[in-house]
Amino acid sequence: MRGGRPGRERTSRACDDARVRIVALAGGIGAARFLRGLLAHVADADVAAQVTVIGNTADDITLNGLHVSPDLDTVMYTLGGGIHPLQGWGRADDTRNVQDELTAYGAGTEWFALGDRDIATHLVRTELMAAGATLSEATAVLCARWQPRVRLLPMSDDPVTTMVTIADPTAPGGSRTLHFQEYWVRLGAPAALTVTVAGADKACPAPGVLEAIADAELILLPPSNPVVSIGTILAVPGIREAVLDNRRAPVVGLSPIVGGAPVRGMADRMLAAIGVPTTAAAVAQHYGARAVGGLLDAWLVDTVDAAAVPALTLSGIRTRAVPLLMRDTAHSAAMAAAALSLAAEITAQ
Amino acid sequence: MRGGRPGRERTSRACDDARVRIVALAGGIGAARFLRGLLAHVADADVAAQVTVIGNTADDITLNGLHVSPDLDTVMYTLGGGIHPLQGWGRADDTRNVQDELTAYGAGTEWFALGDRDIATHLVRTELMAAGATLSEATAVLCARWQPRVRLLPMSDDPVTTMVTIADPTAPGGSRTLHFQEYWVRLGAPAALTVTVAGADKACPAPGVLEAIADAELILLPPSNPVVSIGTILAVPGIREAVLDNRRAPVVGLSPIVGGAPVRGMADRMLAAIGVPTTAAAVAQHYGARAVGGLLDAWLVDTVDAAAVPALTLSGIRTRAVPLLMRDTAHSAAMAAAALSLAAEITAQ
């Protein structure tokens, strides 16, 4: 990562740590699986890396008085070895007794599954925050147990919430605005009219976020939702600017769109709501080329989207086609290796 | 219950309900099992009864941000059919996954067992109270599910907490004051120096408590702890006075002490702390005869304590010896029948 490109010399204050400083902006499952591959790759390749993950909190929701942070937990559980291996969220070997009882009281949120072990995480977080801790501080306490081998920072300690507006002929005005979780988990992501990030304009980046970006030698955009994961992180004032201001660190993204469809989730609905086609190329153009004020130095598309490589490269985004389906950790490690390889090419220029 | 004794005519405002109005002051397991017997007896005997239970809340404790009301829940679960049959508290068929996880986070209260199903109750209560509901209102919501066939009222919606002081040579001043649950559950009830009921002086009876007592045709003191269950209820200003003021309703108590020892729990320690011997007779004298300003019209002791009957009767407390060990519902129903029989004798006078 350390090369001769002007402005990419390391800052003096981080010189006591010889590890390569990598920052990733992360949503949930896609990011978590990619990051697991990244950690596997740097371990295999004997690269000393310090990874800071800036996690999306705009999906956070309060259920039965519990502060639930789905994306932070998915990253923490995945990297800490506690994730449910098949569903990709929630805890392995979990039970559903608390929620069954909440339902018996008529107090459950049936459409949002809370496992018993998972609830313990939310209880600890909620108790800490009720006692005055920030979400960052609560996250650090939870990570002290899980040891995810990354520094996991929420994007903000302030409440930020993705809201989705859908058509509803029965509602006044013909539309209805919902919490993202209700839109996605309860309704299964119908066509969306607009997506807004409530509270983003008044939110501050969490402590350490801007510093980590400023100090980074590589910034990764994992294959997360460009609108409601990466997009919400970038909507916190100061974060996008910090990425743009760090001219030393290449920004390498991985397409969450493969063959014209999201690998998982509802990115197609969200992209449509902001007028972006559901293609790997369109998402890259949405992020934009660094040379013309956008975010991306480089972009990885799946091999099925290889046809997009020349045009994107021409537009100033160094693009490569590699397999992007994360069937196991070996696959995601190979994706991480490809991302680091692209970054090294840029740094060596 | 309706007899010719002066002053025991029914009040006009309750005349639309022909059921016998019974009030019981209740602690946890002992009261709950007795009340289960009471309901079985009145059903068997075809007595239409409306039972109001005024539950002790001075054992309530906040654990991991959850408002736990052990005595209210024990009554609710026992009468609603959800109680763990052997341990007498907590839920039947419960699991311990949340608490195991809290322990893994270093955040659990290992000495206080919270089952997963039980936690759902505390979540519902805590969420309601965080939204502004009183403990009474939260209790009513919980009881809407459990249908305990009694009206269950907390003694107060205000925080009242039993605190126990024990000798501790290592502490400043040589003593240490603990929450009752820590004293009892964590430490196993060592010798106590004093028992205090923090907040009682500023507490108000919960809505309906004084009215239920004033309207009662029979007031029962189940075999609960005279100090930290019945005693704390009576410590709420207005409740003892309301019992004394209702001259129509006989007050019948059942001894929690059998053969010089508590049937369960730590009543011996608590009685010692207030200078009362651990005998069925001493507890009756502690409550006092109604004729001389005390609470009791009548008192049931176990057959092993039959020797105490003459002296107590002479002191103005109509006393009878019957088996007081509640091995099953039939036994506690027989105890309830004996209590109602004593009350009928008094009313018929």
Side-chain angles (χ1 to χ4, degrees):
Chain A
M1 280 333 101
R2 279 168 260 161
R5 197 160 106 162
R8 294 201 178 227
E9 68 283 356
R10 300 182 63 186
T11 59
S12 60
R13 86 179 166 81
C15 276
D16 53 338
D17 188 340
R19 294 180 292 172
V20 178
R21 297 180 302 280
I22 301 173
V23 164
L25 312 188
I29 301 177
R33 289 181 173 170
F34 171 74
L35 290 165
R36 185 167 55 188
L38 174 66
L39 294 180
H41 167 67
V42 297
D44 280 356
D46 216 18
V47 175
Q50 182 198 46
V51 181
T52 300
V53 176
I54 299 169
N56 173 45
T57 60
D59 293 6
D60 286 19
I61 187 166
T62 299
L63 294 169
N64 294 106
L66 299 174
H67 185 114
V68 181
S69 295
D71 282 357
L72 294 178
D73 288 349
T74 293
V75 171
M76 179 176 77
Y77 292 157
T78 300
L79 301 184
I83 198 77
H84 188 294
L86 294 179
Q87 72 192 12
W89 50 265
R91 292 289 312 281
D93 302 320
D94 214 344
T95 48
R96 201 67 60 83
N97 287 331
V98 174
Q99 190 158 24
D100 286 351
E101 288 297 314
L102 291 173
T103 299
Y105 279 117
T109 307
E110 273 111 280
W111 50 270
F112 199 95
L114 287 176
D116 295 333
R117 295 183 190 282
D118 193 34
I119 281 175
T121 299
H122 313 319
L123 273 170
V124 173
R125 177 188 292 117
T126 304
E127 186 182 12
L128 288 166
M129 292 177 73
T134 61
L135 179 58
S136 294
E137 291 163 345
T139 303
V141 168
L142 296 169
C143 285
R145 170 187 175 196
W146 287 104
Q147 297 289 323
R149 295 168 294 149
V150 301
R151 194 160 59 115
L152 178 59
L153 305 178
M155 66 191 203
S156 178
D157 284 335
D158 302 317
V160 176
T161 308
T162 299
M163 303 296 294
V164 182
T165 302
I166 59 171
D168 181 351
T170 69
S175 70
R176 192 154 60 102
T177 299
L178 312 162
H179 189 288
F180 170 76
Q181 298 292 0
E182 189 171 6
Y183 164 77
W184 162 228
V185 181
R186 184 178 204 169
L187 299 187
L193 300 174
T194 61
V195 182
T196 52
V197 193
D201 55 332
K202 290 188 293 287
C204 293
V209 165
L210 296 183
E211 295 79 356
I213 295 171
D215 276 352
E217 294 165 283
L218 168 60
I219 297 172
L220 294 171
L221 307 186
S224 289
N225 191 306
V227 185
V228 296
S229 296
I230 309 280
T232 48
I233 299 171
L234 292 170
V236 176
I239 294 186
R240 178 189 293 272
E241 295 71 16
V243 174
L244 294 174
D245 285 351
N246 180 346
R247 306 204 61 76
R248 183 183 61 248
V251 178
V252 181
L254 295 97
S255 177
I257 305 298
V258 169
V263 175
R264 73 186 61 73
M266 63 357 270
D268 49 342
R269 295 296 199 192
M270 299 291 92
L271 287 167
I274 63 167
V276 174
T278 302
T279 68
V283 172
Q285 297 293 1
H286 167 65
Y287 285 137
R290 196 110 186 228
V292 294
L295 289 166
L296 293 178
D297 289 295
W299 186 240
L300 288 172
V301 299
D302 189 77
T303 47
V304 303
D305 297 311
V309 172
L312 286 174
T313 303
L314 209 61
S315 79
I317 301 171
R318 185 180 294 244
T319 305
R320 192 146 308 159
V322 298
L324 289 190
L325 296 181
M326 298 185 282
R327 293 199 178 80
D328 53 30
T329 302
H331 281 93
S332 39
M335 286 164 55
L340 266 62
S341 168
L342 262 183
E345 286 177 27
I346 293 164
T347 308
Q349 279 187 329
Chain B
M1 279 336 99
R2 280 168 262 161
R5 198 160 105 162
R8 297 201 177 228
E9 66 283 357
R10 301 182 63 186
T11 59
S12 60
R13 86 178 165 83
C15 276
D16 51 340
D17 187 341
R19 295 178 293 171
V20 178
R21 295 181 303 280
I22 301 174
V23 164
L25 313 188
I29 300 177
R33 288 180 173 170
F34 170 76
L35 290 165
R36 185 166 56 188
L38 174 66
L39 294 181
H41 168 69
V42 298
D44 279 356
D46 218 16
V47 175
Q50 179 197 49
V51 181
T52 300
V53 177
I54 299 168
N56 173 45
T57 60
D59 293 6
D60 286 19
I61 188 167
T62 300
L63 294 169
N64 294 105
L66 299 174
H67 186 115
V68 181
S69 295
D71 282 357
L72 294 179
D73 288 348
T74 292
V75 170
M76 179 177 77
Y77 292 156
T78 301
L79 302 184
I83 199 77
H84 187 294
L86 294 178
Q87 70 191 13
W89 49 267
R91 292 289 311 282
D93 302 319
D94 213 342
T95 48
R96 200 67 61 82
N97 288 331
V98 174
Q99 190 157 25
D100 286 350
E101 289 297 313
L102 292 173
T103 299
Y105 279 116
T109 307
E110 273 109 282
W111 52 267
F112 200 95
L114 287 176
D116 295 333
R117 294 183 190 283
D118 194 33
I119 281 174
T121 299
H122 312 319
L123 272 171
V124 173
R125 178 188 293 117
T126 303
E127 186 183 11
L128 288 165
M129 292 176 73
T134 61
L135 179 58
S136 295
E137 290 163 346
T139 303
V141 168
L142 296 169
C143 285
R145 170 187 175 194
W146 288 104
Q147 296 289 324
R149 295 169 295 150
V150 300
R151 193 159 60 117
L152 177 59
L153 305 177
M155 67 191 201
S156 178
D157 284 335
D158 302 316
V160 176
T161 308
T162 299
M163 303 295 294
V164 182
T165 302
I166 60 170
D168 181 351
T170 70
S175 70
R176 192 154 60 102
T177 300
L178 311 163
H179 189 287
F180 170 76
Q181 297 292 359
E182 189 172 5
Y183 164 78
W184 163 227
V185 181
R186 183 178 205 170
L187 299 187
L193 300 174
T194 61
V195 181
T196 53
V197 193
D201 55 333
K202 291 187 292 288
C204 293
V209 165
L210 297 183
E211 295 78 355
I213 295 171
D215 275 353
E217 293 165 283
L218 169 60
I219 297 172
L220 294 170
L221 307 186
S224 289
N225 192 306
V227 186
V228 296
S229 296
I230 309 280
T232 48
I233 299 171
L234 293 169
V236 176
I239 293 186
R240 178 189 295 271
E241 296 70 16
V243 174
L244 295 173
D245 285 352
N246 180 346
R247 306 204 61 78
R248 183 184 62 247
V251 178
V252 181
L254 296 97
S255 178
I257 306 296
V258 169
V263 175
R264 75 185 61 74
M266 62 359 268
D268 49 342
R269 296 296 199 190
M270 298 292 91
L271 288 166
I274 64 166
V276 174
T278 304
T279 67
V283 171
Q285 297 294 0
H286 167 66
Y287 285 137
R290 195 111 187 227
V292 294
L295 289 166
L296 293 178
D297 289 296
W299 186 239
L300 288 172
V301 299
D302 189 78
T303 47
V304 302
D305 298 310
V309 172
L312 285 174
T313 304
L314 210 58
S315 78
I317 301 171
R318 185 181 293 243
T319 306
R320 194 146 306 159
V322 298
L324 289 191
L325 297 182
M326 297 185 282
R327 292 199 179 80
D328 54 30
T329 303
H331 281 93
S332 40
M335 286 164 56
L340 267 60
S341 168
L342 261 183
E345 286 179 26
I346 293 164
T347 309
Q349 277 188 329

